[in-house]
Amino acid sequence: MIDMSNQTNRQSEIECRSNVDGEESLTEEKWQAILNNDASYEGRFFYAVKTTGIFCRPSCKSRPPKKENIAIFQTAEHARSAHFRPCKRCKPTGQRLPDDEWITLVTDYIDINYMESLTLNQLADICHGSSYHLHRTFRKVKGMTPVDYIQQTRIDHAKALLIQSKKAISEIGECVGLSNTPYFITLFKKRTGYTPASFRQMKIHNIQEDNNNEE
């Protein structure tokens, strides 16, 4: 059964990454500098993305984040002290982010946002890298592709919902980001050897047997 406490802890860490010394307000001037990848603001501030845990130079060519998810810092050191990691694309510290740390950021994002639409290209944009490099690096570090990890995460959450709730199969699919019910059933069977319905029936039967044996 999936450990929901890990997801809660990751979400809490993301929410608490800011509010430290060196954090500044996001002015319209800085927001425009971020949107325009303005290199003239180099060294004047760094921006971090709360949903990914990454911080960047103002000139970073990565897709601009949502305005409400940005934290502004005076220096790279302040951003690091708030537990943000340097962007792999713009290298705000001048050093390359280790592969295992980068992939940890990616998996943390998937673990929290598995119910959303997640493609390789979207993940690459969000986590500031190319899709080719993300696919290759993820496979090297995790022993599986990003798509495999997304699918397994969704199936793990579906298993928990099948056991812990009385939601319909189609509703569970929607809850884990697989709104196409036939595809959800096919993928679930491919990953587990059971259809969602037969998996639920088996688990309920096993729980009932365990309870009877304890009496």
Side-chain angles (χ1 to χ4, degrees), residues 144-158:
M144 65 177 72
T145 67
V147 171
D148 286 335
Y149 187 85
I150 292 168
Q151 289 181 348
Q152 190 57 56
T153 300
R154 287 171 169 167
I155 295 304
D156 286 344
H157 281 276

Side-chain angles (χ1 to χ4, degrees), residues 17-183:
R17 272 173 174 145
S18 53
N19 302 319
V20 297
D21 291 341
E23 185 175 356
E24 301 178 340
S25 60
L26 175 60
T27 63
E28 184 60 27
E29 179 184 4
K30 291 172 184 173
W31 173 235
Q32 290 302 317
I34 293 169
L35 289 178
N36 297 319
N37 314 124
D38 194 336
S40 68
Y41 284 79
E42 288 289 305
R44 295 170 62 178
F45 72 90
F46 295 84
Y47 75 91
V49 186
K50 298 174 184 178
T51 51
T52 62
I54 294 172
F55 74 96
C56 302
R57 303 173 186 268
S59 61
C60 186
K61 300 297 184 182
S62 297
R63 184 177 65 178
K66 292 181 179 179
K67 192 173 183 179
E68 62 267 25
N69 292 332
I70 291 178
I72 300 295
F73 293 95
Q74 294 174 353
T75 67
E77 289 71 25
H78 284 131
R80 290 192 73 111
S81 70
H83 307 294
F84 290 97
R85 294 185 177 97
C87 172
K88 203 171 182 70
R89 180 171 287 170
C90 70
K91 301 181 178 64
T93 63
Q95 298 176 330
R96 180 176 176 273
L97 180 66
D99 287 343
D100 57 340
E101 290 188 31
W102 186 45
I103 297 307
T104 295
L105 291 173
V106 178
T107 55
D108 283 354
Y109 187 86
I110 294 171
D111 290 345
I112 292 171
N113 298 281
Y114 64 90
M115 72 294 294
E116 305 294 337
S117 173
L118 293 176
T119 66
L120 182 62
N121 287 336
Q122 286 171 332
L123 279 177
D125 279 343
I126 290 166
C127 296
H128 300 189
S130 71
S131 56
Y132 171 78
H133 185 57
L134 173 58
H135 184 276
R136 185 182 63 176
T137 306
F138 198 102
R139 191 165 190 169
K140 181 182 73 174
V141 173
K142 301 295 291 184
M144 65 177 72
T145 67
V147 171
D148 286 335
Y149 187 85
I150 292 168
Q151 289 181 348
Q152 190 57 56
T153 300
R154 287 171 169 167
I155 295 304
D156 286 344
H157 281 276
K159 286 179 181 178
L161 287 172
L162 285 165
I163 298 169
Q164 299 168 4
S165 77
K166 294 183 179 180
K167 294 179 183 291
I169 302 301
S170 59
E171 188 177 358
I172 288 175
E174 291 179 1
C175 288
V176 301
L178 296 167
S179 57
N180 184 321
T181 303
Y183 175 70

